[in-house]
């Protein structure tokens, strides 16, 4: 049996655990695929907005945002960010919360759907996460998003046209509706083979175990 396992991932570009979860899932799927017998995984990203009321140009730091908009005491924010930074570092990600530019992510989600339509969604997701958490790039404005899209080989002018016309906004809203149907209340959330849900940035071994279980079950059905 060589049919790959489909994994649908609901996430938000502005979610630090989603980028960490991406790395852990990649490690887990690598362990699974490395076991041989043509094991494979196909990934598709889906839209989830953690803070849809965030302005495109938020005036303030990550600490300002979390303390002012999320109600977390400022004295607790810095230690929390340091903890997340440490966990990110353990999977090879160098988060820079001081440079991070908080923004609305709906246009970034539209770009992910555009990239999917052009066969480049996985590269676009990686580029957006890195731009936001590592490089301090703006991921809420059309021009900045078009620059990032061009960096992975997409047509910049066409991206601008699509984003300004909201061509993929309905796809974003469809993803969000499906998330409600699934009962997803936080991200990252992984739906494996349309049957199993895994919530959060689990360890690589956990992802590998779930994938192996699904693979075994599918093999029994086709045996």
């Amino acid at each position: 049996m060589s049919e790959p396992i489909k994994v649908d991932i609901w996430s938000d570009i502005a979610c630090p655990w989603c980028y960490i979860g991406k790395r852990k899932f990649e490690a887990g799927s690598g362990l699974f695929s490395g076991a041989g017998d043509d094991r494979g995984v196909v990934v598709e990203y889906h839209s989830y907005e953690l803070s849809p009321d965030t302005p495109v140009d938020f005036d303030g730091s990550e600490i300002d945002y979390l303390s002012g908009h999320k109600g977390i005491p400022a004295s607790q924010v810095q230690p929390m960010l340091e903890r997340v930074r440490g966990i990110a570092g353990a999977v090879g990600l160098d988060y820079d919360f001081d440079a991070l530019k908080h923004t609305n992510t709906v246009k970034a989600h539209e770009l992910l759907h555009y990239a999917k339509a052009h066969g480049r969604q996985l590269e676009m997701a990686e580029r957006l996460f890195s731009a936001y958490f590592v490089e301090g790039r703006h991921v809420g404005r059309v021009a900045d998003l078009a620059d990032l899209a061009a960096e992975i080989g997409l047509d910049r002018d066409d991206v601008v046209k699509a984003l300004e016309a909201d061509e993929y906004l309905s796809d974003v809203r469809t993803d969000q509706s499906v998330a409600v149907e699934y009962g997803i209340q936080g991200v990252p959330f992984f739906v494996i083979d349309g049957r199993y849900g895994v919530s959060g940035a689990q360890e690589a071994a956990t992802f590998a175990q779930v994938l192996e279980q699904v693979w075994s079950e599918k093999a029994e059905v086709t045996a």
Side-chain angles (χ1 to χ4, degrees):
M1 184 181 67
S2 58
E3 182 180 347
I5 295 174
K6 175 70 181 301
V7 179
D8 296 281
I9 305 175
W10 271 261
S11 69
D12 192 0
I13 294 303
C15 166
W17 296 107
C18 290
Y19 199 11
I20 292 169
K22 181 177 185 294
R23 280 291 182 273
K24 290 188 174 184
F25 175 77
E26 288 166 347
S29 62
L31 291 172
F32 165 73
S33 298
D37 295 331
D38 293 325
R39 285 169 169 79
V41 177
V42 173
V43 173
E44 181 177 339
Y45 278 89
H46 298 274
S47 305
Y48 191 101
E49 289 181 274
L50 286 172
S51 302
D53 58 341
T54 303
V56 172
D57 292 299
F58 176 77
D59 185 17
S61 66
E62 178 74 348
I63 293 177
D64 295 330
Y65 177 81
L66 291 173
S67 59
H69 287 251
K70 295 299 183 182
I72 303 174
S75 61
Q76 296 179 16
V77 173
Q78 191 61 45
M80 181 183 71
L81 293 179
E82 287 301 323
R83 174 176 171 269
V84 175
R85 196 198 314 265
I87 295 171
V91 294
L93 301 174
D94 186 16
Y95 280 9
D96 188 348
F97 287 115
D98 294 332
L100 186 149
K101 293 179 176 61
H102 230 285
T103 187
N104 189 289
T105 59
V106 68
K107 287 296 179 186
H109 285 296
E110 290 180 44
L111 177 56
L112 284 170
H113 280 281
Y114 175 96
K116 181 177 76 171
H118 291 77
R120 306 299 293 274
Q121 191 191 46
L122 298 187
E123 297 100 315
M124 195 73 257
E126 178 64 29
R127 190 69 198 92
L128 287 167
F129 275 127
S130 179
Y132 186 71
F133 284 108
V134 178
E135 303 165 35
R137 300 274 292 272
H138 203 297
V139 300
R141 297 184 295 237
V142 170
D144 296 280
L145 289 168
D147 288 342
L148 292 169
E151 289 179 18
I152 68 162
L154 293 172
D155 185 316
R156 188 186 189 284
D157 291 339
D158 195 53
V159 168
V160 169
K161 174 178 173 290
L163 295 184
E164 289 184 342
D166 292 335
E167 289 183 15
Y168 292 90
L169 181 59
S170 62
D171 296 293
V172 174
R173 300 307 182 212
T174 297
D175 278 353
Q176 293 169 331
S177 296
V178 174
V180 172
E181 293 174 9
Y182 278 149
I184 298 172
Q185 298 181 333
V187 287
F189 193 90
F190 304 79
V191 177
I192 299 175
D193 196 40
R195 296 183 292 154
Y196 295 96
V198 178
S199 179
Q202 302 292 331
E203 295 302 319
T206 299
F207 287 119
Q209 182 179 13
V210 175
L211 290 168
E212 188 64 39
Q213 178 179 338
V214 171
W215 181 265
S216 297
E217 291 175 358
K218 290 169 76 73
E220 289 176 3
V221 169
T222 57

